[in-house]
């Protein structure tokens, strides 16, 4: 046996001796513990006395309504992944897709995109037997659908002059109208290309892109419009009677893009700063901050409280069923 053959045989023998199955289980367990630790740590950082005080001081009917609307908003966001499931023929149940996306969204808002939107999605979908390359595509569709809807809605509000920026802002009314026109032009271009393209699949270097059919585009934009509108409706509940819905809607859209650019988990501090800057002439500062905090309680902290047990159920029950069906 030659030296090269001996080396090859030795490497092959070492690979056979490495307990890959055990290592995978250990890595999976460590990731589960990491997510659980982060969620518990986040929960311990919250000022629960202040949260509880906010709940007691807020009208129960408003809290219940905002909570229900918030859950509907989470479901709307999770349904972005259903679009990816449809586009890429992913053979997993729709309810498992929605649950995986729902958990990821809650963690994304509270822990940041790296853990929530990326790492956790890969983890959850891999437990369902989805290939990493397909998970990447699903995430891409989800992110694109969300922001395409944002651009459409913000463009419509900006171009009509519904948004009146503070005088101290560098970009004035005309600037935002022009920006709105650009936004709408981008959305119209996307819709037009998808409607009239001669071919659906394009390759850029080593990446392949497939243009969706017009009905999928309509699904994307409709879902995004519902998602953003429900989110605005949640926070509007805590300003109802003091501010009109359009004003709250615009403040939310501006704060969300500012939060995304800042990369701060949950836009902590950014959301409050934008609302104070935009609404300072409408309400006293303390009332604005109180409304935003109540919104955080309902839209961020309540779902966070459900995420850990949901994640545990997903890992210990739903994913095991998927493993069993795959083995069969």
């Amino acid at each position: 046996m030659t030296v090269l053959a001996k080396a090859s045989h030795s490497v092959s023998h070492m690979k056979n001796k490495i307990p890959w199955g055990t290592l995978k289980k250990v890595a999976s367990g460590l990731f589960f513990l990491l997510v659980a630790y982060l969620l518990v740590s986040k929960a311990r950082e919250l000022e629960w006395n202040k949260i509880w005080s906010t709940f007691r001081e807020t009208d129960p009917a408003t809290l219940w309504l905002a909570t229900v609307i918030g859950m509907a908003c989470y479901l709307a966001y999770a349904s972005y992944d259903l679009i990816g499931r449809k586009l890429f023929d992913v053979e997993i149940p729709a309810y498992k897709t929605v649950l995986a996306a729902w958990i990821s969204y809650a963690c994304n808002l509270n822990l940041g995109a790296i853990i929530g939107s990326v790492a956790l999605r890969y983890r959850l979908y891999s437990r369902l037997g989805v290939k990493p390359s397909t998970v990447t595509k699903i995430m891409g569709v989800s992110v694109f659908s969300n922001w395409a809807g944002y651009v459409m809605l913000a463009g419509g509000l900006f171009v009509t002059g519904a948004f009146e920026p503070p005088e101290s802002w560098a970009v004035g009314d005309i600037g935002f109208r022009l920006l709105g026109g650009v936004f709408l032009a981008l959305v119209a271009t996307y819709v037009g290309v998808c409607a009239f393209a001669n071919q659906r699949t394009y390759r850029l270097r080593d990446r392949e892109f497939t243009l969706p059919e017009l009905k999928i585009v309509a699904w994307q934009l409709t879902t995004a419009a519902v998602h953003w509108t429900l989110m605005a409706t949640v926070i509007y509940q805590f300003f109802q009677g003091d501010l009109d819905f359009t004003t709250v809607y615009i403040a939310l859209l501006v704060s969300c893009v500012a939060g995304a650019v800042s990369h701060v988990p949950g836009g902590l501090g950014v959301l409050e700063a934008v609302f104070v800057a935009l609404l300072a002439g409408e309400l006293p500062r303390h009332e604005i901050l109180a409304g935003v905090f109540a919104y955080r309680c309902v839209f961020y902290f309540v779902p966070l409280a459900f995420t850990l047990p949901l994640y545990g159920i997903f890992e210990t029950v739903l994913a095991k069923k998927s493993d069993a069906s795959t083995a069969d």
Side-chain angles (χ1 to χ4, degrees):
M1 184 180 290
T2 64
V3 175
L4 185 60
K6 287 182 179 179
S8 177
H9 177 74
S10 176
V11 171
S12 176
H13 182 66
M14 288 178 63
K15 285 183 177 180
N16 290 333
K17 290 184 67 177
I18 296 175
W20 293 111
T22 302
L23 290 177
K24 185 177 180 180
K25 289 181 179 179
V26 171
S28 297
L30 290 175
F31 184 83
F32 174 79
L33 292 175
L34 172 62
V35 173
Y37 169 76
L38 290 173
L39 289 172
V40 172
S41 298
K42 178 68 177 181
R44 292 180 64 182
E45 291 174 1
L46 300 178
E47 299 178 71
W48 289 107
N49 290 336
K50 190 175 178 181
I51 292 172
W52 178 241
S53 176
T54 299
F55 276 116
R56 285 187 302 175
E57 294 172 3
T58 306
D59 179 39
T62 300
L63 285 174
W64 279 109
L65 182 58
T67 300
V68 170
I69 297 172
M71 294 301 179
C73 182
Y74 269 66
L75 289 175
Y77 185 92
S79 65
Y80 288 138
D81 282 32
L82 291 177
I83 300 173
R85 172 179 173 271
K86 172 70 174 178
L87 282 174
F88 307 116
D89 297 320
V90 181
E91 296 182 354
I92 58 176
Y95 78 93
K96 291 186 178 181
T97 303
V98 170
L99 184 57
W102 198 97
I103 293 171
S104 298
Y105 186 41
C107 290
N108 181 19
L109 289 178
N110 288 281
L111 304 178
I114 299 300
I115 292 294
S117 185
V118 180
L120 194 56
R121 250 198 187 98
Y122 276 110
R123 166 62 185 172
L124 296 174
Y125 277 116
S126 68
R127 295 287 282 128
L128 296 175
V130 181
K131 295 179 180 178
S133 59
T134 304
V135 179
T136 302
K137 293 178 181 178
I138 292 174
M139 283 196 297
V141 168
S142 178
V143 172
F144 181 83
S145 300
N146 183 47
W147 288 107
Y150 176 95
V151 169
M152 177 185 68
L153 294 167
L157 290 169
F158 292 167
V159 79
T160 59
F163 176 50
E164 298 179 5
E167 294 181 0
S168 59
W169 286 28
V171 181
D173 178 67
I174 295 177
F176 272 98
R177 285 177 183 268
L178 291 174
L179 180 61
V182 172
F183 279 2
L184 292 180
L186 289 173
V187 175
T189 300
Y190 171 60
V191 174
V193 170
C194 291
F196 301 109
N198 293 324
Q199 66 182 73
R200 289 288 164 191
T201 302
Y202 296 86
R203 182 174 291 276
L204 180 63
R205 294 183 179 179
D206 58 339
R207 295 184 179 276
E208 189 177 89
F209 299 90
T210 301
L211 292 176
E213 297 177 358
L214 200 55
K215 62 182 180 181
I216 299 295
V217 175
W219 185 3
Q220 288 178 305
L221 296 179
T222 301
T223 301
V226 171
H227 165 241
W228 286 104
T229 301
L230 287 174
M231 192 189 302
T233 305
V234 174
I235 195 167
Y236 172 69
Q237 299 304 310
F238 302 105
F239 293 111
Q240 198 169 3
D242 296 318
L243 297 171
D244 63 86
F245 182 70
T246 302
T247 300
V248 174
Y249 206 151
I250 292 172
L252 178 70
L253 291 178
V254 175
S255 66
C256 282
V257 74
V261 171
S262 69
H263 298 292
V264 177
L268 191 60
V270 180
L271 183 67
E272 289 81 356
V274 172
F275 265 77
V276 169
L278 292 179
L279 306 177
E282 306 283 343
L283 289 176
R285 177 188 173 90
H286 71 278
E287 290 187 19
I288 297 172
L289 293 176
V292 173
F293 185 76
Y295 162 73
R296 281 195 179 279
C297 290
V298 168
F299 199 74
Y300 289 70
F301 306 150
V302 170
L304 178 65
F306 289 100
T307 296
L308 184 57
L310 275 179
Y311 180 50
I313 292 171
F314 189 100
E315 288 277 5
T316 58
V317 179
L318 298 182
K320 281 189 174 182
K321 288 183 179 179
S322 296
D323 293 340
S325 63
T326 302
D328 293 341

